[in-house]
Each structure stands twice: as structure tokens, then as C-alpha cells.
Amino acid sequence: MRFAVLSDIHSNAEALDAVLRACDREAPDAFLCVGDLVGYGPDPSTVIAEVRGRNMVAVRGNHDQAAFDPAEDQYFNDWAREAIGWTRERLSDAELRYLEGLDLTGEADGALLVHASPSEPRAWRYILSASAAGPEFSSFDESVCFIGHSHVPMIIALGESGVQELPASEVSLEPRTRYIVNVGSVGQPRDGDPRAAFGLFDPGERTFRLVRVEYDAEATSRKIVESGLPPFLGERLLAGR
Ligand code: ZN
């Protein structure tokens, strides 16, 4: 089995479309999604339909939570809160129920899926460094845990020599080593590279590869402004910040 691993699509239909076309060339057997289908972007229903249509194994992110659970957005900044309010008004009851039905964790061929942190999935804590990732390894048994949430790709390995950050590119997954892998963001990258990010995971070959794909961020940015969402949410797509 080969898996495409997506995260933080954030209602960006153009970025998701570019990623799915890139995936079609790679022909993965299945799709995994580690949360935040909606929020920030202008096309929440399109994204939910694509995720469901591709039968993705998806887990719930904090924006998915806030879409059906308004109390959750007290933790959001003003842009995020405005955008999730906009999203909530546009989703159907069936779409909101789909988001509510997503589990906080998932599993696929020996990999754990969680949006933020495996130790406390509902706390939406950010893992931004090897030192923050270290203690998380004791909270799960799988050899690989896929996460999102920060929108910054990161690969942390726990091997015989301790916890180490690896370049977020292509790695062979060593035996007796465990990994926490942030696959970056499809719909709102924040590592300075505006291209959409996703991962390709082959547990049989024991490889993981981070892929970046160009998409029409200008078009999404225009749609954000035309939809009445905060213009900053469009500007940041062009910078990848
Ligand atoms: Zn997110």
C-alpha cells in the first residue's frame, strides 16, 4: 500500500486540485488527511466533497471542530474566527455532521494520524521542534505518526541516538526508529514556500517523500477577497506565510 498524506487543506480548492492531479500521477492506493479540511479559504463544500469522494481516512482538526462547535473559536485569532464564522454559515447540516463525525485520531497500516499532538489530540498543541516532539513519542506505539496543524513540514526521528530533526524531503524509514512527520499544508503553507505540500508514504518500501506542487494561488487569493473573507488570508497564500 502506498498512501498520499494530506493536511490543512483549509477550503483551498485550487491547491487541493493541484495536489490531487499530482497524486494521480503517483497513483497512491489510498488517501489520508490529518485534519483542517475547512477554515480560512473560500471553498469549504468543494473540499469536503473531494475528501469524501476520494474516501480519505480523515481526522478532525481544530478548524473542523470550530465549524460545528462555535465555542472552540475563542482560541482563534481574529482572521481565523471571522473565516470559521463565514464557513459555518455556508456549510449544510450534512457537511457539519460529517466534520463532527471525524475522529480525533486514525490509523493506517501502522501509522497513527492526528491533527496536532498524539499525547493530547484535543489540546491542539503545536509541535514546532525536536525538543517539543521528544516527549510525544511515549504517547503512541506506531512507528510513524503523521501530524499537521503548524503548516510547516517537519520530520522528527527517535532512534538509538535520540531525537533528531531530519530535512523535510525524502527519507528512508529506518528499522528501530520511530517518526513524527508533519506533512505541511495543502491550502495555506507557512514555511515561506507558497507551493502546496503533501506527503507520499510507502510502509512496504519504508519511505516517506514530501512533495511540493505549484497551484494558482492568485486565483484563490482573489476568491478570498471576492467572498468577503479577510484579504490578509489571500495575501498570505502568495507569500507562503
Ligand atoms: Zn490548520
Side-chain angles (χ1 to χ4, degrees):
M1 286 285 274
R2 293 172 68 243
F3 297 93
V5 194
L6 281 56
S7 190
D8 296 275
I9 304 168
H10 282 300
S11 303
N12 186 334
E14 288 74 25
L16 178 59
D17 186 57
V19 163
L20 291 177
R21 278 186 282 120
C23 285
D24 287 340
R25 291 192 289 277
E26 301 283 346
D29 299 291
F31 287 87
L32 312 176
C33 174
V34 284
D36 277 3
L37 286 66
V38 301
Y40 295 130
D43 288 306
S45 297
T46 308
V47 167
I48 290 174
E50 284 281 13
V51 167
R52 300 185 76 171
R54 297 263 178 166
N55 289 316
M56 293 192 195
V57 177
V59 298
R60 193 194 312 158
N62 53 320
H63 289 252
D64 307 321
Q65 177 85 32
F68 66 84
D69 176 7
E72 188 71 23
D73 72 15
Q74 62 181 303
Y75 306 106
F76 282 19
N77 66 36
D78 291 346
W79 300 299
R81 189 179 308 111
E82 192 178 333
I84 205 66
W86 181 99
T87 302
R88 198 178 292 133
E89 285 170 18
R90 278 155 183 86
L91 291 179
S92 68
D93 287 346
E95 289 166 333
L96 291 168
R97 276 200 306 277
Y98 168 74
L99 296 175
E100 192 170 5
L102 296 175
D103 290 329
L104 287 166
T105 60
E107 205 270 340
D109 212 342
L112 177 68
L113 315 175
V114 62
H115 181 63
S117 73
S119 62
E120 258 187 298
R122 188 67 177 75
W124 315 121
R125 198 169 41 244
Y126 289 95
I127 299 175
L128 299 170
S129 63
S131 58
E136 297 284 334
F137 282 99
S138 59
S139 65
F140 64 98
D141 297 322
E142 292 83 354
S143 61
V144 183
C145 173
F146 288 110
I147 63 170
H149 196 38
S150 72
H151 301 202
V152 176
M154 193 173 71
I155 302 176
I156 307 290
L158 172 64
E160 281 156 1
S161 55
V163 180
Q164 187 188 1
E165 183 169 357
L166 306 176
S169 53
E170 188 162 7
V171 288
S172 42
L173 304 168
E174 304 295 333
R176 294 184 302 283
T177 302
R178 297 170 64 224
Y179 299 85
I180 293 175
V181 177
N182 189 317
V183 296
S185 170
V186 171
Q188 195 197 76
R190 294 181 192 160
D191 62 341
D193 182 345
R195 294 177 301 167
F198 71 100
L200 286 168
F201 171 52
D202 188 330
E205 296 289 323
R206 298 193 60 84
T207 58
F208 173 82
R209 175 156 59 99
L210 190 84
V211 183
R212 300 307 284 260
V213 194
E214 303 258 10
Y215 77 97
D216 193 351
E218 300 265 2
T220 313
S221 186
R222 272 195 305 276
K223 264 198 212 173
I224 284 173
V225 174
E226 287 161 9
S227 306
L229 285 160
F232 168 72
L233 296 176
E235 289 158 22
R236 72 186 301 175
L237 294 182
L238 307 180
R241 290 281 180 201

